[in-house]
Coordinates of all heavy atoms in Angstrom, one line a residue:
R23 N 36.7 13.4 40.2 CA 37.0 13.4 38.7 C 35.8 12.6 38.0 O 35.3 11.6 38.5 CB 38.3 12.7 38.5 CG 39.5 13.6 38.8 CD 40.8 12.8 38.9 NE 41.0 11.9 37.7 CZ 41.5 12.2 36.6 NH1 41.9 13.5 36.3 NH2 41.7 11.4 35.6
I24 N 35.5 13.1 36.8 CA 34.4 12.5 36.1 C 34.9 11.7 34.9 O 35.7 12.1 34.1 CB 33.5 13.7 35.6 CG1 32.9 14.4 36.8 CG2 32.4 13.2 34.6 CD1 32.2 15.7 36.5
G25 N 34.4 10.5 34.8 CA 34.6 9.6 33.7 C 33.3 9.6 32.8 O 32.2 9.7 33.3
F26 N 33.4 9.4 31.5 CA 32.3 9.5 30.6 C 32.3 8.5 29.5 O 33.4 8.3 28.8 CB 32.2 10.9 30.0 CG 31.1 11.1 29.1 CD1 29.8 10.7 29.3 CD2 31.4 11.8 27.8 CE1 28.8 10.9 28.4 CE2 30.3 12.0 26.9 CZ 29.1 11.6 27.2
L38 N 29.4 -2.2 28.7 CA 29.6 -2.2 30.1 C 31.0 -2.3 30.5 O 31.4 -1.9 31.6 CB 28.7 -3.4 30.7 CG 27.2 -3.3 30.3 CD1 26.5 -4.5 30.8 CD2 26.6 -2.0 31.0
A39 N 31.9 -2.9 29.6 CA 33.3 -3.0 29.9 C 34.0 -1.6 30.1 O 35.1 -1.5 30.7 CB 34.0 -3.7 28.8
H40 N 33.3 -0.6 29.6 CA 33.9 0.8 29.8 C 33.9 1.2 31.3 O 34.7 2.0 31.7 CB 33.2 1.8 29.0 CG 33.4 1.7 27.5 ND1 33.8 2.7 26.7 CD2 33.1 0.7 26.7 CE1 33.9 2.3 25.4 NE2 33.5 1.1 25.4
V41 N 32.8 0.8 32.0 CA 32.5 1.4 33.3 C 33.7 1.1 34.3 O 34.2 2.0 34.9 CB 31.1 0.9 33.8 CG1 30.8 1.6 35.1 CG2 30.1 1.3 32.7
P42 N 34.1 -0.2 34.5 CA 35.2 -0.4 35.4 C 36.5 0.3 35.0 O 37.3 0.7 35.9 CB 35.3 -1.9 35.5 CG 34.6 -2.4 34.3 CD 33.6 -1.4 33.9
I43 N 36.7 0.4 33.7 CA 37.9 1.1 33.3 C 37.9 2.6 33.7 O 38.8 3.2 34.2 CB 38.1 0.9 31.8 CG1 38.4 -0.6 31.5 CG2 39.2 1.8 31.2 CD1 38.4 -1.0 30.1
L44 N 36.7 3.2 33.4 CA 36.6 4.6 33.8 C 36.6 4.8 35.3 O 37.2 5.7 35.9 CB 35.3 5.2 33.3 CG 35.2 5.4 31.8 CD1 33.8 5.6 31.3 CD2 36.1 6.5 31.3
A45 N 36.0 3.8 36.0 CA 35.9 3.9 37.5 C 37.3 3.7 38.1 O 37.5 4.2 39.2 CB 34.9 2.8 38.0
A46 N 38.2 3.0 37.5 CA 39.5 2.8 38.0 C 40.3 4.1 38.0 O 41.3 4.2 38.7 CB 40.2 1.7 37.2
H47 N 39.9 5.1 37.1 CA 40.7 6.3 37.0 C 39.9 7.5 37.4 O 40.5 8.6 37.3 CB 41.2 6.4 35.5 CG 42.1 5.3 35.1 ND1 41.7 4.2 34.4 CD2 43.4 5.1 35.4 CE1 42.7 3.4 34.3 NE2 43.8 3.9 34.8
T48 N 38.7 7.4 37.7 CA 37.9 8.6 38.0 C 37.0 8.2 39.2 O 37.0 7.1 39.7 CB 37.0 9.1 36.9 OG1 36.1 8.0 36.5 CG2 37.8 9.5 35.6
D49 N 36.2 9.2 39.7 CA 35.4 9.0 40.9 C 33.9 8.8 40.6 O 33.1 8.4 41.5 CB 35.6 10.1 41.9 CG 37.1 10.4 42.2 OD1 37.7 9.5 42.7 OD2 37.5 11.5 41.7
Y50 N 33.5 9.2 39.4 CA 32.1 9.3 39.1 C 31.9 9.0 37.6 O 32.5 9.8 36.8 CB 31.6 10.7 39.5 CG 30.1 10.9 39.5 CD1 29.3 10.4 40.5 CD2 29.5 11.5 38.4 CE1 27.9 10.6 40.5 CE2 28.1 11.7 38.4 CZ 27.3 11.3 39.4 OH 26.0 11.5 39.4
V51 N 31.1 8.0 37.3 CA 31.0 7.6 35.9 C 29.6 8.1 35.3 O 28.6 7.8 35.9 CB 31.2 6.1 35.7 CG1 31.0 5.7 34.2 CG2 32.6 5.7 36.1
A85 N 26.4 -2.0 36.5 CA 27.8 -1.8 36.2 C 28.5 -0.8 37.0 O 29.7 -0.8 37.0 CB 27.9 -1.5 34.7
G86 N 27.7 0.1 37.6 CA 28.4 1.1 38.5 C 28.3 2.6 37.9 O 29.1 3.4 38.4
L143 N 38.0 12.1 31.8 CA 38.3 10.9 31.0 C 37.1 10.5 30.2 O 36.1 10.3 30.8 CB 38.8 9.8 31.9 CG 39.4 8.6 31.3 CD1 40.7 8.9 30.5 CD2 39.7 7.6 32.4
V171 N 40.4 7.6 26.1 CA 41.0 6.3 26.1 C 40.2 5.3 25.2 O 39.0 5.5 25.1 CB 41.1 5.6 27.5 CG1 42.2 6.2 28.3 CG2 39.8 5.6 28.3

Side-chain angles (χ1 to χ4, degrees):
R23 281 166 52 81
I24 295 170
F26 177 46
L38 301 174
H40 291 236
V41 181
I43 292 171
L44 291 168
H47 297 97
T48 61
D49 308 296
Y50 189 79
V51 177
L143 185 64
V171 282

